[in-house]
Amino acid sequence: MKEKISKLVNVYKKYGFIGFCKKLYAYIKANYMDKISFKVMFNKKKYCNEIKNILSKNKYERIILWRSSFGYNVPLFQRPQHIANNLAKNGCLIFYEVTTMTDKIKTIKKHANNLYLINFNNIALNKILMNELENVFKPKYVQLYSTDWKLSVQNIENYINNGFKFIYEYIDDISPELAGTKDIPQNIIDKYNFVMSNKNTYVIVTASALEDDVIKHRGKTNLASSSNGVDYDFFKHYDKNYKYEKDFQEILNIKKPIIMYYGALAKWFDYELIKKLAKTDKYSIVLFGIKYDEAYDQNMNNEKNIYFLGSRDYKVLKEYAKHADVLTIPFLINNITLATSPVKIYEYMALHKPIVTTDMPECRKYKSVLIGKNHDEFLKQIEKALKLKTDKKYIALLDKEAKENDWARKAKDIIDLIKKDEK
């Protein structure tokens, strides 16, 4: 309960009173009111037949229940959706968890071949699904993020007792800052401890630091590395008629080189570095994203040359990024960023833009990324990056590394790990 209270406090700080009330109502409706579905209860036969048809008419080798309420049709389109899409294209029947808060789906909806968005909070529908799955004799898995604080170890053990295997995606440092709470939610800690002491669990890690942690606890058994990635083809097409807001158009009209970042504005963002870059008066620094916590407001005060433009939907963000001269990840180096595989770095590659980051281990792995080990070196790397904008060899390197990190390859890493045990 204390974790939920802590989360509510942070939501209030982020969205204000009216926004807090809207979020609270949506949360209560999604997680409590929508549990009881008379629509399903009074039409049980209809939904039984619908689930049976899904299980009998699709071609697949295995079934995966994605049990983290990240949402699907949300502005932040990242690893969960991409992995689900690519697993579905490669022999997996995916039941992907959504809620009325994230997707306004009360029951189940087909999104693509082998990919169904389903509201697991709907007790009656969830029971129908589980009953029908008992009659399917193919490998079955439940998959979730290490940051999920909804499912308990008991929930996981119930799945295992019903013939499921468990896929645990260890994607970030276990941190209260990432959870948005004062303390780490107990369910997160419990599942982490369960996984580290249970070698039958399949573990997918996204960063070397996380891999080292797993090996320290349980060796290399049932372990695979699958960093974040990019939908390469998506970044090859743009809307020639896209209309920009006045604020962004005014920045373009300044005619200074644009240094851009998109993503969360949080405690791990290096605000002092960005302010130092702005003081050179050489660049327009454009920031897109959400204020993940109070850190942005505490550190920034309408600095000259820095433009915070809020968040943009994943589908249109590339329309802005294509105008950047350099794309950056100016993060502090701490436990969180030491274990981070930034999705945006692979998207930056696909955008064919020079990349400058601070000294994060996962960024060091790529030749196309210019690393600034301190503030002064970061500023020098920005200057170097500007000279690479039209360098054909450098652009070819970006393209090569982007293709090597397409989401299709990341999904294959997961399939290769679990497939070895399938009969």
Side-chain angles (χ1 to χ4, degrees):
M1 178 58 73
K2 66 178 182 179
E3 293 94 350
K4 291 183 179 180
I5 293 173
S6 176
K7 183 74 172 180
L8 289 172
V9 170
N10 284 337
V11 171
Y12 182 84
K13 289 179 179 178
K14 188 185 296 186
Y15 296 102
F17 178 73
I18 295 176
F20 169 80
C21 290
K22 290 180 179 179
K23 292 280 184 181
L24 181 60
Y25 172 75
Y27 176 83
I28 292 172
K29 184 178 185 301
N31 290 280
Y32 298 99
M33 296 166 64
D34 290 339
K35 282 180 176 287
I36 306 300
S37 174
F38 294 108
K39 180 179 180 181
V40 176
M41 292 167 66
F42 294 141
N43 294 277
K44 184 177 178 180
K45 187 174 181 180
K46 171 190 172 184
Y47 287 97
C48 283
N49 289 334
E50 184 174 352
I51 298 292
K52 284 178 180 177
N53 285 335
I54 291 170
L55 295 172
S56 63
K57 293 184 177 180
N58 284 280
K59 294 182 180 180
Y60 57 92
E61 298 173 30
R62 64 194 64 82
I63 296 169
I64 297 178
L65 309 185
W66 170 259
R67 287 304 319 266
S68 289
S69 49
F70 185 90
Y72 191 90
N73 291 302
V74 293
L76 198 62
F77 200 90
Q78 290 199 329
R79 183 181 180 91
Q81 298 99 318
H82 288 297
I83 289 292
N85 282 333
N86 283 280
L87 289 175
K89 292 174 184 177
N90 290 278
C92 302
L93 177 60
I94 306 295
F95 291 96
Y96 183 103
E97 180 166 13
V98 293
T99 68
T100 53
M101 185 176 183
T102 61
D103 291 76
K104 296 181 173 59
I105 292 175
K106 292 184 177 181
T107 54
I108 187 169
K109 181 180 180 181
K110 181 177 181 179
H111 178 77
N113 289 337
N114 279 354
L115 177 56
Y116 293 83
L117 309 182
I118 182 169
N119 192 328
F120 283 99
N121 279 338
N122 188 319
I123 295 173
L125 183 65
N126 191 15
K127 187 175 181 179
I128 290 171
L129 175 64
M130 296 304 294
N131 286 340
E132 294 302 329
L133 286 176
E134 288 182 6
N135 302 314
V136 178
F137 300 101
K138 291 190 178 183
K140 288 171 278 194
Y141 304 87
V142 58
Q143 179 175 357
L144 53 71
Y145 265 11
S146 54
T147 53
D148 170 77
W149 61 328
K150 183 177 179 181
L151 266 67
S152 66
V153 168
Q154 184 62 59
N155 294 141
I156 300 304
E157 289 180 331
N158 288 343
Y159 275 115
I160 292 171
N161 291 336
N162 280 289
F164 286 77
K165 293 186 177 181
F166 181 28
I167 303 172
Y168 180 83
E169 287 206 62
Y170 191 8
I171 61 160
D172 276 311
D173 179 57
I174 304 296
S175 163
E177 291 180 354
L178 286 168
T181 56
K182 184 178 180 181
D183 300 306
I184 301 172
Q186 192 60 44
N187 270 346
I188 291 179
I189 297 172
D190 290 344
K191 287 197 291 288
Y192 170 84
N193 290 333
F194 174 79
V195 167
M196 293 306 158
S197 61
N198 187 340
K199 291 186 178 182
N200 291 326
T201 298
Y202 296 104
V203 181
I204 312 298
V205 294
T206 56
S208 294
L210 305 177
E211 183 175 23
D212 292 342
D213 183 49
V214 175
I215 293 172
K216 180 179 71 176
H217 285 87
R218 45 173 277 175
K220 296 183 179 180
T221 304
N222 287 331
L223 172 65
S225 177
S226 174
S227 72
N228 284 321
V230 62
D231 182 348
Y232 178 85
D233 290 337
F234 175 78
F235 286 90
K236 299 298 107 181
H237 307 283
Y238 298 95
D239 181 356
K240 294 179 181 180
N241 300 314
Y242 189 81
K243 293 183 179 180
Y244 298 99
E245 302 89 337
K246 181 182 177 182
D247 288 350
F248 188 71
Q249 189 61 55
E250 288 176 351
I251 296 168
L252 295 177
N253 293 339
I254 294 172
K255 303 297 183 182
K256 285 183 180 180
I258 293 176
I259 313 301
M260 187 181 293
Y261 164 85
Y262 62 75
L265 280 304
K267 292 177 182 177
W268 52 85
F269 190 91
D270 194 339
Y271 298 98
E272 293 307 312
L273 173 56
I274 286 299
K275 287 191 280 189
K276 188 176 288 188
L277 185 63
K279 285 180 181 178
T280 65
D281 203 29
K282 297 178 182 178
Y283 318 111
S284 292
I285 301 167
V286 179
L287 309 176
F288 287 106
I290 60 167
K291 296 178 183 178
Y292 191 79
D293 51 36
E294 68 278 4
Y296 182 89
D297 292 330
Q298 289 176 348
N299 286 278
M300 305 297 281
N301 189 28
N302 296 319
E303 276 77 12
K304 182 183 177 184
N305 298 322
I306 298 178
Y307 307 91
F308 172 61
L309 299 182
S311 63
R312 296 293 185 279
D313 192 284
Y314 169 80
K315 295 175 184 176
V316 302
L317 194 54
K318 63 183 179 180
E319 306 295 343
Y320 298 86
K322 72 181 181 183
H323 289 286
D325 294 283
V326 178
L327 290 166
T328 67
I329 307 180
F331 286 174
L332 297 167
I333 304 302
N334 56 30
N335 287 341
I336 291 174
T337 57
L338 287 172
T340 292
S341 171
V343 173
K344 60 185 69 61
I345 195 174
Y346 308 105
E347 295 175 351
Y348 289 178
M349 292 171 184
L351 285 158
H352 290 177
K353 298 291 182 177
I355 305 167
V356 179
T357 77
T358 48
D359 194 20
M360 289 178 283
E362 293 305 307
C363 295
R364 287 190 221 128
K365 295 178 178 180
Y366 303 101
K367 293 180 180 179
S368 63
V369 180
L370 306 182
I371 303 291
K373 294 182 179 179
N374 54 51
H375 285 190
D376 290 340
E377 188 174 350
F378 188 93
L379 268 60
K380 289 178 182 177
Q381 295 287 39
I382 292 289
E383 294 177 4
K384 181 179 177 180
L386 286 168
K387 296 175 183 177
L388 291 172
K389 281 197 310 177
T390 56
D391 186 299
K392 291 183 179 179
K393 287 185 178 180
Y394 179 71
I395 293 171
L397 176 62
L398 288 166
D399 192 70
K400 173 179 176 290
E401 294 189 328
K403 286 179 179 176
E404 290 172 348
N405 287 281
D406 190 273
W407 284 116
R409 295 196 180 196
K410 308 305 177 179
K412 185 177 182 299
D413 293 333
I414 298 173
I415 293 172
D416 287 346
L417 176 66
I418 61 178
K419 194 173 183 178
K420 64 183 176 59
D421 297 323
E422 293 178 358
K423 296 180 182 179

